[in-house]
Amino acid sequence: MIKKTLNFSNPAYLSVSNRQLIVDVPKSDLSEARKATIPIEDIGVLILEHPQITITHNVLAALLENNVAIVTSGQSRLPSGLLLPLDGHTNQSERFKFQIEASLPLKKNLWQQTIQVKIANQAALLAAKGLNVENMKYWINAVKSGDSENHEARAAAYYWSKIFPDELNFLRGRHEAPPNNLLNYGYAVLRAMVARALVGSGLLPTLGIHHRNKYNAYCLADDIMEPYRPYVDQIVLQLVHSGNPYEELTREHKAELMKIAQVDVFLDGQHSPLMIALQRTTASLSRCFEGVQRKISYPELCISKVE
């Protein structure tokens, strides 16, 4: 079942009763007071954005028991924190052991697979724009174990120079000009979904196969989300092409970016929503650590034309 991604950008009081999330929205100058209920089991990601949100401990406990990723935002209204359950799988201890004991050659091979699929998905998005991607195809095949020659960076430099209209003079960077604001928000939502899927598969999001910054609590999530990033880029590209302003990140933009969970992806010969595909990807990664599978199941971006 596809879990919902909820974003609370207005003042609200959140409580729980009979396995239902109770949302009380106070009266304001623009609207009357209202109340809504949502089954806890239907929620996958909860984003707390407004500073005047009150949430009870029972809500947090109920959400974490159901493997909900809770994202908190700072004064900028951008995601700044992520809360995940400690116990996400019945065989968690055993899976932790396999992950911790994974050999360096295995992790390098898994990273090679990851970068090959990431570049392939970036190439698919560029090809849908009618651009030449022969160099990208070459780099896919040239990626070695651990991406020792850093073909990821070569592909990224070409990709970001071509993906958006030339007049934008786009430069990818967290603090660079729009539409980086859209990309940042979309990636933050995607990262939360990946971390949630990893915990659900009994893995430690902290221990990456490539990323290893000691200050990063979600290195593995940053690894596994790489081939999924072009799905966010596709949504942002559509927002840019819509002709509507995007200098400021609006509620409407966020609503479109949160649809990433429902995006149709093609994985192992089957179509499924992206959130379901993430569960299959992280489950396959767990089997790779265990030694019963050699390849991570990643999606193939299939798009004929960018509208």
Side-chain angles (χ1 to χ4, degrees), residues 37-285:
T37 61
I38 305 163
I40 293 287
E41 63 183 5
D42 290 350
I43 305 171
V45 179
L46 184 79
I47 303 174
L48 304 174
E49 184 177 301
H50 199 279
Q52 293 179 337
I53 293 173
T54 300
I55 185 168
T56 68
H57 178 267
N58 282 343
V59 172
L60 294 175
L63 292 172
L64 294 175
E65 286 173 5
N66 283 269
N67 193 26
V68 176
I70 304 170
V71 180
T72 59
S73 299
Q75 293 182 348
S76 64
R77 297 291 186 95
L78 293 174
S80 60
L82 177 60
L83 183 62
L84 293 169
L86 285 174
D87 184 3
H89 194 277
T90 54
N91 295 333
Q92 183 166 289
S93 178
E94 181 182 52
R95 295 192 175 194
F96 279 5
K97 179 177 181 293
F98 288 131
Q99 181 183 358
I100 292 170
E101 295 178 353
S103 67
L104 182 59
L106 172 61
K107 289 188 284 188
K108 286 185 174 182
N109 178 265
L110 296 176
W111 184 241
Q112 177 187 20
Q113 296 178 37
T114 300
I115 295 307
Q116 286 176 321
V117 179
K118 177 184 180 180
I119 298 175
N121 286 343
Q122 289 176 325
L125 194 52
L126 291 182
K129 293 188 62 179
L131 298 173
N132 189 313
V133 293
E134 290 304 313
N135 53 347
M136 301 283 279
K137 293 179 180 178
Y138 172 81
W139 289 326
I140 293 168
N141 295 322
V143 176
K144 297 180 180 179
S145 177
D147 189 23
S148 56
E149 296 179 351
N150 202 9
H151 284 90
E152 179 190 17
R154 301 185 196 185
Y158 180 76
Y159 176 76
W160 291 119
S161 70
K162 300 293 184 181
I163 191 66
F164 294 115
D166 292 341
E167 58 268 23
L168 289 183
N169 294 316
F170 180 78
L171 180 64
R172 173 61 191 146
R174 184 173 179 83
H175 302 293
E176 298 293 339
N180 279 290
N181 53 347
L182 305 181
L183 291 168
N184 294 341
Y185 190 85
Y187 292 155
V189 174
L190 175 63
R191 188 177 190 240
M193 291 194 300
V194 175
R196 173 186 177 274
L198 287 168
V199 171
S201 292
L203 298 174
L204 278 167
T206 303
L207 299 182
I209 56 177
H210 176 75
H211 288 88
R212 53 179 61 89
N213 188 323
K214 67 179 182 179
Y215 301 109
N216 183 0
Y218 300 102
C219 290
L220 187 57
D222 290 337
D223 289 334
I224 301 305
M225 71 181 283
E226 294 293 351
Y228 284 90
R229 286 179 182 266
Y231 292 96
V232 173
D233 303 343
Q234 182 181 351
I235 296 176
V236 173
L237 192 57
Q238 291 169 343
L239 290 171
V240 170
H241 283 179
S242 71
N244 296 322
Y246 53 84
E247 286 72 20
E248 296 293 332
L249 187 62
T250 66
R251 182 180 301 179
E252 289 73 20
H253 292 141
K254 293 175 182 178
E256 288 299 315
L257 290 164
M258 285 191 294
K259 291 180 181 178
I260 187 66
Q262 287 80 42
V263 168
D264 181 65
V265 304
F266 187 71
L267 189 153
D268 292 341
Q270 299 179 21
H271 287 274
S272 67
L274 185 142
M275 182 173 279
I276 302 300
L278 277 174
Q279 296 171 3
R280 294 165 61 190
T281 293
T282 56
S284 72
L285 174 61

